[in-house]
Amino acid sequence: MRVGLALAGGGPLGAVYEVGALCALAEALPGLDLTALDGYVGVSAGGFIAAGLANGMTPRQLCTSFIENDGPHTDLIRPNLFFRPAVGEYACRLAALPGLLLQAVYGLLVQGRPLLAASERLGRALPTGLFSNAALQAQLARVFSAPGRSNDFRRLERRLVLVATDLDSGRAAPFGMPGWDHVPISQAVAASAALPGLFPPECINGHWYVDGALKKTLHASVLLDMGLDLMICLNPLVPFDASAGRSTHRLLGGATERIPHLVDGGLPLVLSQTFRSLIHSRVELGLKGYETSHPATDILLFEPDQRDPEMFLANTFGYSQRRVLAEHAYQHTRADLRSRRSVLRRTLARHGLALDEAVLDDPHRTLLRRRRRASALAGSRAGRTMRRLDEVLKDLQRALDAR
C-alpha cells in the first residue's frame, strides 16, 4: 500500500480546516499513520501542514501548536506571525518614488504623454504585499529544526513537495523534487504561500516566487506519478450554495444577520464566492483528469459542505474563531465519513484499511478539550438524532449510486 496526501491552500482558515479534518481522519483510520505516508504535496497554507506532517508532527500536535497555541514554545505558530507589516517592502518602494515621480513629470511635460499614461509609472511605487512572512519563516525554521525533524528536504524520510509559482515565467516550482530540494523547507513554505497583494514575492536564487495556487489547486500529479495506490486530498475552499434553503448568517458581536442572497453581503461575499468557484472548478477538472491519467489510484477528496454558512462566512485570514472553526471542521469531517461509510469501506478495504466505527459513532468525541457552550455543534438530542438520520440516508443513497 502506497498512500499520498495532497493539501490545497486557503489562507489561515484553510490551515485551520485541514488541521481539524486531519485529526478526524487520524482517529477514524487507526491503520493509517498520517506522519508516515509515501508522499506529501502542499500548496499555500496546505504547504505548512504538509511540511509538519512530513516532519513527524501528528495532526494533534499541529492542533496544539497552531490552534490551541499550547505546548512547547518552539512549536507555537501564533496568529501575529502572519500579519507583520512588510516594512522593508514599504521602504524600498518609497525610496523609488521620487525618481518615478520625476519620470512621470518628464513624460507629461516634455514628451507630451497623456496624464494617465504618464502616471502609470507611479504604479511601481505600490508595495507588492502588505505583510512580511519573515517572522513566520523564522519560526517555521525553528519548528522544523527541532530534534527528530529537518528543515532540509533531502534529509526527510518521505517525499515532500511544496509548490510555488515562478512570477516571471508562470511555471510551477515543485520545491522538494530533485533539482528543487536544496531550498530550506521553511523558505519553500513562504514562497508557496506568498499570495500576491498580501505577501511580497519570495526571492530564491534570483527568481521570484508567489502562491502555488496560481497554477493548480492541488498539484496532486507530482505524487500520483510515483504510482500511489491511494491519494487523500483536502480542499478547504468551496463555493457556498445559498439556494439550498439554509439560513446564511454571520456572527456580529453575538448577534446574527440574515443574508437572503449573497449579493446582499456586498463586494466581499461576491469576491469570495467568485474566488471559491474558480478554485473549486479547477479541483473538479483536476480530479476528472486524474481518474483518466491514473486509473489505478483511488482518490478520496474531503472538503467542507457547500451548504455550510459557517465555513463560507468565516474570515479567510482571521484567527479570532479558529478554535470554533477547527472543532467545526473536525465534526463535519466525522459526519462526512459517516455519511459515505458504505462506499468508503470498499475503497479502504482494497488498501488494507478500515474505519473505526466505534470512534465515528461516539457522539461525545471532540477535538478540543473545552467547547464553547454557545457552539451550535453541541445541539439538542433531537437535533443530533436528525443529523444522524440524514447521514444514514446519504450513506444509503451513495451506496445505491455506487452499485
Side-chain angles (χ1 to χ4, degrees):
M1 180 182 63
R2 305 192 70 198
V3 183
L5 179 66
L7 301 177
L13 172 63
V16 169
Y17 167 82
E18 289 175 344
V19 168
L22 288 169
C23 286
L25 291 173
E27 292 179 353
L29 297 170
L32 183 66
D33 184 355
L34 291 175
T35 66
L37 303 183
D38 292 274
Y40 303 84
V41 60
V43 181
S44 190
F48 154 64
I49 306 299
L53 293 170
N55 262 294
M57 299 180 69
T58 67
R60 282 285 178 175
Q61 288 176 313
L62 289 171
C63 182
T64 299
S65 302
F66 184 60
I67 307 299
E68 299 181 273
N69 276 169
D70 196 4
H73 176 72
T74 55
D75 283 355
L76 297 187
I77 306 296
R78 298 188 183 280
N80 59 3
L81 294 177
F82 290 83
F83 302 108
R84 303 284 180 89
V87 178
E89 175 69 9
Y90 299 160
C92 179
R93 299 293 169 172
L94 186 61
L97 182 58
L100 295 173
L101 185 59
L102 287 176
Q103 293 176 23
V105 172
Y106 180 82
L108 179 65
L109 300 180
V110 179
Q111 296 179 329
R113 301 177 64 185
L115 177 61
L116 182 61
S119 60
E120 284 181 351
R121 189 170 293 270
L122 295 179
R124 299 184 181 183
L126 295 176
T128 57
L130 298 176
F131 305 109
S132 171
N133 57 28
L136 174 64
Q137 189 176 151
Q139 176 61 6
L140 291 178
R142 285 191 289 269
V143 171
F144 299 148
S145 299
R149 305 172 191 165
S150 176
N151 198 31
D152 189 334
F153 286 102
R154 296 163 295 187
R155 299 183 61 183
L156 294 178
E157 296 181 5
R158 297 158 189 89
R159 172 60 55 85
L160 170 65
V161 182
L162 304 175
V163 185
T165 303
D166 189 315
L167 183 61
D168 292 320
S169 68
R171 290 191 289 268
F175 294 108
M177 295 291 285
W180 298 87
D181 53 5
H182 60 285
V183 177
I185 294 175
S186 55
Q187 189 175 23
V189 170
S192 180
L195 182 63
L198 286 176
F199 298 98
E202 182 71 19
C203 183
I204 301 176
N205 297 332
H207 293 264
W208 297 91
Y209 297 95
V210 293
D211 198 315
L214 269 65
K215 289 292 292 182
K216 293 181 182 179
T217 303
L218 284 170
H219 289 276
S221 58
V222 298
L223 294 185
L224 289 171
D225 292 340
M226 296 169 52
L228 297 177
D229 302 303
L230 176 65
M231 171 68 79
I232 299 174
C233 304
L234 270 67
N235 173 45
L237 296 184
V238 297
F240 178 60
D241 184 3
S243 65
R246 295 179 61 178
S247 172
T248 62
H249 65 280
R250 60 172 55 178
L251 298 177
L252 295 174
T256 60
E257 176 188 8
R258 299 227 18 207
I259 304 177
H261 303 284
L262 294 184
V263 69
D264 297 331
L267 182 61
L269 289 193
V270 172
L271 290 179
S272 177
Q273 182 77 333
T274 301
F275 178 71
R276 289 164 179 264
S277 298
L278 290 173
I279 289 290
H280 199 253
S281 66
R282 296 198 303 177
V283 171
E284 294 177 326
L285 288 174
L287 291 178
K288 290 180 181 178
Y290 298 150
E291 291 175 359
T292 302
S293 60
H294 300 84
T297 304
D298 286 319
I299 301 177
L300 298 178
L301 174 66
F302 295 93
E303 55 187 11
D305 187 349
Q306 295 189 26
R307 301 167 300 171
D308 184 0
E310 295 292 336
M311 291 299 297
F312 176 70
L313 293 171
N315 182 358
T316 306
F317 295 94
Y319 275 88
S320 60
Q321 293 189 338
R322 65 186 185 278
R323 291 172 59 89
V324 174
L325 291 173
E327 183 74 49
H328 188 71
Y330 170 82
Q331 297 294 350
H332 164 72
T333 304
R334 283 168 48 81
D336 186 25
L337 289 168
R338 290 193 296 264
S339 67
R340 49 174 171 157
R341 73 171 86 198
S342 296
V343 176
L344 288 175
R345 280 195 195 108
R346 293 193 294 272
T347 301
L348 295 171
R350 290 197 290 269
H351 309 288
L353 297 172
L355 293 169
D356 189 327
E357 308 282 352
V359 167
L360 272 183
D361 293 328
D362 181 0
H364 304 294
R365 188 173 288 269
T366 63
L367 173 64
L368 304 176
R369 291 188 292 270
R370 293 175 295 176
R371 300 175 67 182
R372 296 188 179 184
R373 298 176 63 183
S375 173
L377 295 174
S380 64
R381 179 175 299 179
R384 291 196 299 268
T385 301
M386 292 303 296
R387 286 193 295 271
R388 184 60 59 89
L389 177 60
D390 182 57
E391 293 164 3
V392 172
L393 292 175
K394 286 182 180 178
D395 184 32
L396 177 60
Q397 182 64 54
R398 286 168 172 149
L400 292 174
D401 292 342
R403 288 183 181 275

